[in-house]
Amino acid sequence: MSQSGVSVQPECITAFNELKLGKSTKFIIYKLSDDNKEVVVEETSQDPSWDSFRNKLINAKSKDKRGNEGVGPRYAVYDFGWELASGEGTRSKITFIAWSPDTAGIQPKMVYASSKDALKRSLNGVAVELQANDSDEIEYDEVLKFVSKGAR
């Protein structure tokens, strides 16, 4: 359980283990339940398109306490792979992304920030964590620089 009292549904861990071990799942998007009491799987996908994944994060919605819908934060895990520039093959790293756009409401951002560690602690095998607040920070080339740390 997190500082905010949010728990992680077992399906979150199951989906992560399928991504990590099965390698058929390319990404998982997690969200907080409507009552903000638990982290749930919003979507899993085998689609390798970074742009498709990125658009899902950018277009995520959440509701505030009054029920108003707006831009929403999300957690995501992406099996990020890339070709080495030297031609020595490919690399991949399981990447945890905490997406909390600057344009999201204060209350959703606060709940997501205080609940992140509960989910992250449940996911054994994450290689890299990325906090992103602007759509530019989740452009493919920006994430590649961060994930590869020069090993391109």
Side-chain angles (χ1 to χ4, degrees), residues 54-120:
R54 183 178 175 275
N55 285 333
K56 289 175 188 292
L57 288 183
I58 291 170
N59 295 312
K61 304 287 183 207
S62 67
K63 292 183 180 178
D64 64 17
K65 285 184 177 179
R66 292 185 222 113
N68 299 323
E69 190 174 77
V71 175
R74 289 294 185 273
Y75 310 115
V77 173
Y78 192 92
D79 187 7
F80 196 92
W82 70 96
E83 298 277 333
L84 293 174
S86 62
E88 295 176 10
T90 61
R91 297 286 185 268
S92 71
K93 288 190 179 177
I94 296 175
T95 305
F96 180 88
I97 300 170
W99 169 246
S100 188
D102 290 331
T103 54
I106 292 171
Q107 191 255 350
K109 288 197 296 190
M110 287 174 53
V111 175
Y112 270 80
S114 61
S115 305
K116 177 181 77 170
D117 284 341
L119 176 60
K120 244 190 85 206

Side-chain angles (χ1 to χ4, degrees), residues 7-9 11-12 29-34 38-43:
S7 62
V8 177
Q9 267 194 352
E11 71 174 9
C12 296
I29 298 177
Y30 301 97
K31 70 174 194 165
L32 291 177
S33 58
D34 290 339
E38 56 188 354
V39 178
V40 298
V41 172
E42 181 174 46
E43 178 180 355

